[in-house]
Amino acid sequence: MFSSVPEHVAIIMDGNGRWGKARGLTRSEGHYAGVQAMERVIDACIDIDIKILTLYAFSSENWSRPKAEVNYLMYLPVKFFNQKLPGFMKRNIKILVSGDITTIPDSTRKAITKAMDKTKNNTGLIVNIAFNYGGRNDILQAVRQMAEDVQNNHLELDNINEGLFENYLYTKALPDPEILIRTGGEKRISNFLLWQVSNAELYFTDVYFPDFNKEMLMEAIGSSEARHAIAE
Ligand code: IPE
Ligand code: IPE
Ligand code: MG
């Protein structure tokens, strides 16, 4: 799979709410602690020379949570990018977003598009935030765009293949992740990168995301490698 360090790591950052509850804190405080962990993981990726980090921050199913929690999760990118953007510039980080940002609050969309715009020429770690992302929706919106291109004679039916299809996905230019990590103990994909993880290693850990750190990231990468070494 990957020789030493994977090029692209994807993480389902789960367990924020339970982390808060276990400490007598609120779920929102758990989400805030999750944001701090995000920064640690970003730094760890730079240290160990991972090129792309995709983080599942808000799923298309998360709208069904209580309104106050949804509001807080929509506000977090504003706070996150306000605080972190200067540091991201210094560290040459490029921000991308995968998901439908047309239906999120204006202030959230502005924070996200500003971060993408400011960092667009950076050449270091790519941090791809999956926000209002759903794997099925990703595939459907790609199909819709492709159908439109066929209808408008911009695309020939015979030219449709996997590589071309991938150009229509939210993750367009990115190679597939070699490893998908899920924290928080659940062994589910929860409508994350359905097409893109077709060949990825799946790694599940019980650790709640706010406690996830560099050692655990290295452990995840190392254990997948070791498994492959045994299988070969
Ligand atoms: C993951 O943590 C973060 C988001 C879904 C935004 P959760 O909020 O799902 O936390 P748990 O799983 O309830 O502990
Ligand atoms: C997955 O976690 C989504 C994110 C981490 C953003 P959830 O907690 O929302 O997923 P389920 O509800 O356990 O499937
Ligand atoms: Mg959860």
Side-chain angles (χ1 to χ4, degrees), residues 12 14 18 56 180-183 185-192 202 204:
I12 301 176
D14 196 26
R18 282 166 287 159
Y56 204 8
L180 170 64
I181 298 170
R182 181 172 187 145
T183 62
E186 308 293 350
K187 295 190 173 68
R188 284 196 285 276
I189 303 290
S190 296
N191 202 16
F192 199 26
L202 304 180
F204 299 97

Short mmCIF file of all heavy atoms in Angstrom, two decimals, residues 12 14 18 56 180-183 185-192 202 204:
data_model
loop_
_atom_site.label_atom_id
_atom_site.label_comp_id
_atom_site.label_asym_id
_atom_site.label_seq_id
_atom_site.Cartn_x
_atom_site.Cartn_y
_atom_site.Cartn_z
N ILE A 12 -12.00 10.50 10.33
CA ILE A 12 -13.35 10.78 10.84
C ILE A 12 -13.17 11.16 12.31
O ILE A 12 -12.88 10.32 13.15
CB ILE A 12 -14.28 9.54 10.70
CG1 ILE A 12 -14.38 9.12 9.22
CG2 ILE A 12 -15.66 9.84 11.29
CD1 ILE A 12 -15.19 7.84 8.98
N ASP A 14 -14.31 11.60 15.38
CA ASP A 14 -15.51 11.31 16.17
C ASP A 14 -15.19 11.21 17.66
O ASP A 14 -14.07 10.89 18.05
CB ASP A 14 -16.13 9.98 15.66
CG ASP A 14 -17.55 9.82 16.15
OD1 ASP A 14 -18.23 10.84 16.43
OD2 ASP A 14 -18.01 8.66 16.26
N ARG A 18 -18.82 12.91 23.47
CA ARG A 18 -18.58 12.00 24.59
C ARG A 18 -17.36 12.42 25.40
O ARG A 18 -17.33 12.25 26.61
CB ARG A 18 -18.42 10.55 24.07
CG ARG A 18 -19.75 9.90 23.73
CD ARG A 18 -19.57 8.65 22.91
NE ARG A 18 -19.17 8.97 21.54
CZ ARG A 18 -18.57 8.11 20.73
NH1 ARG A 18 -18.26 6.90 21.14
NH2 ARG A 18 -18.26 8.48 19.50
N TYR A 56 -12.99 15.02 8.44
CA TYR A 56 -14.46 15.05 8.37
C TYR A 56 -14.96 15.91 9.53
O TYR A 56 -14.88 15.52 10.69
CB TYR A 56 -14.99 13.62 8.52
CG TYR A 56 -16.36 13.33 7.95
CD1 TYR A 56 -17.06 14.23 7.17
CD2 TYR A 56 -16.95 12.08 8.17
CE1 TYR A 56 -18.31 13.90 6.63
CE2 TYR A 56 -18.18 11.74 7.64
CZ TYR A 56 -18.86 12.66 6.87
OH TYR A 56 -20.09 12.32 6.35
N LEU A 180 -7.79 5.45 6.16
CA LEU A 180 -8.91 6.17 6.79
C LEU A 180 -8.94 5.79 8.27
O LEU A 180 -9.04 4.61 8.61
CB LEU A 180 -10.24 5.77 6.13
CG LEU A 180 -11.50 6.26 6.86
CD1 LEU A 180 -11.58 7.79 6.87
CD2 LEU A 180 -12.76 5.69 6.20
N ILE A 181 -8.79 6.80 9.10
CA ILE A 181 -8.78 6.59 10.55
C ILE A 181 -10.11 7.09 11.11
O ILE A 181 -10.58 8.16 10.74
CB ILE A 181 -7.62 7.39 11.20
CG1 ILE A 181 -6.27 6.91 10.66
CG2 ILE A 181 -7.68 7.31 12.72
CD1 ILE A 181 -5.08 7.80 11.05
N ARG A 182 -10.72 6.31 11.99
CA ARG A 182 -11.89 6.82 12.72
C ARG A 182 -11.63 6.72 14.21
O ARG A 182 -11.36 5.65 14.74
CB ARG A 182 -13.17 6.04 12.39
CG ARG A 182 -14.38 6.63 13.16
CD ARG A 182 -15.71 6.05 12.75
NE ARG A 182 -16.79 6.78 13.42
CZ ARG A 182 -17.98 7.04 12.89
NH1 ARG A 182 -18.26 6.61 11.69
NH2 ARG A 182 -18.89 7.71 13.57
N THR A 183 -11.72 7.86 14.89
CA THR A 183 -11.60 7.87 16.35
C THR A 183 -12.98 7.66 16.95
O THR A 183 -13.98 7.67 16.25
CB THR A 183 -11.01 9.21 16.84
OG1 THR A 183 -11.90 10.27 16.47
CG2 THR A 183 -9.63 9.48 16.24
N GLY A 185 -14.37 5.05 18.58
CA GLY A 185 -14.85 3.71 18.88
C GLY A 185 -15.88 3.11 17.93
O GLY A 185 -16.07 1.90 17.91
N GLU A 186 -16.58 3.93 17.14
CA GLU A 186 -17.58 3.36 16.21
C GLU A 186 -16.86 2.81 14.99
O GLU A 186 -15.89 3.39 14.52
CB GLU A 186 -18.58 4.43 15.75
CG GLU A 186 -19.25 5.22 16.84
CD GLU A 186 -20.19 4.39 17.70
OE1 GLU A 186 -20.47 3.22 17.33
OE2 GLU A 186 -20.60 4.90 18.76
N LYS A 187 -17.38 1.69 14.48
CA LYS A 187 -16.77 1.11 13.28
C LYS A 187 -17.72 1.31 12.10
O LYS A 187 -18.38 0.39 11.64
CB LYS A 187 -16.44 -0.36 13.52
CG LYS A 187 -15.39 -0.53 14.61
CD LYS A 187 -14.87 -1.94 14.70
CE LYS A 187 -13.71 -2.03 15.68
NZ LYS A 187 -14.10 -1.81 17.07
N ARG A 188 -17.83 2.56 11.69
CA ARG A 188 -18.72 2.94 10.59
C ARG A 188 -18.00 3.91 9.67
O ARG A 188 -17.07 4.60 10.08
CB ARG A 188 -19.94 3.71 11.14
CG ARG A 188 -20.98 2.89 11.81
CD ARG A 188 -22.26 3.72 11.93
NE ARG A 188 -22.19 4.73 12.97
CZ ARG A 188 -22.43 4.52 14.25
NH1 ARG A 188 -22.76 3.31 14.66
NH2 ARG A 188 -22.34 5.49 15.13
N ILE A 189 -18.51 4.01 8.46
CA ILE A 189 -17.98 4.99 7.50
C ILE A 189 -18.78 6.29 7.59
O ILE A 189 -18.30 7.37 7.24
CB ILE A 189 -18.01 4.43 6.05
CG1 ILE A 189 -17.23 3.12 5.95
CG2 ILE A 189 -17.48 5.45 5.05
CD1 ILE A 189 -15.73 3.22 6.07
N SER A 190 -20.03 6.20 8.06
CA SER A 190 -20.90 7.38 8.22
C SER A 190 -20.91 8.29 7.00
O SER A 190 -20.77 9.50 7.11
CB SER A 190 -20.51 8.17 9.48
OG SER A 190 -20.72 7.39 10.64
N ASN A 191 -21.07 7.67 5.82
CA ASN A 191 -21.25 8.44 4.58
C ASN A 191 -20.06 9.36 4.28
O ASN A 191 -20.21 10.42 3.70
CB ASN A 191 -22.56 9.25 4.66
CG ASN A 191 -23.10 9.65 3.30
OD1 ASN A 191 -22.69 9.11 2.27
ND2 ASN A 191 -23.99 10.63 3.28
N PHE A 192 -18.86 8.91 4.70
CA PHE A 192 -17.65 9.68 4.34
C PHE A 192 -17.26 9.30 2.92
O PHE A 192 -18.09 8.84 2.16
CB PHE A 192 -16.55 9.39 5.38
CG PHE A 192 -15.44 10.42 5.43
CD1 PHE A 192 -15.63 11.73 5.03
CD2 PHE A 192 -14.17 10.07 5.90
CE1 PHE A 192 -14.62 12.67 5.08
CE2 PHE A 192 -13.14 11.01 5.97
CZ PHE A 192 -13.36 12.30 5.55
N LEU A 202 -8.48 0.67 6.66
CA LEU A 202 -9.41 1.25 7.64
C LEU A 202 -8.83 1.02 9.02
O LEU A 202 -8.43 -0.09 9.36
CB LEU A 202 -10.78 0.58 7.53
CG LEU A 202 -11.44 0.62 6.14
CD1 LEU A 202 -12.79 -0.08 6.17
CD2 LEU A 202 -11.61 2.06 5.65
N PHE A 204 -9.51 1.83 13.14
CA PHE A 204 -10.45 2.33 14.14
C PHE A 204 -9.77 2.36 15.51
O PHE A 204 -9.08 1.41 15.88
CB PHE A 204 -11.68 1.42 14.21
CG PHE A 204 -12.44 1.35 12.90
CD1 PHE A 204 -12.22 0.29 12.01
CD2 PHE A 204 -13.34 2.33 12.54
CE1 PHE A 204 -12.89 0.22 10.80
CE2 PHE A 204 -14.03 2.26 11.33
CZ PHE A 204 -13.80 1.21 10.45
#
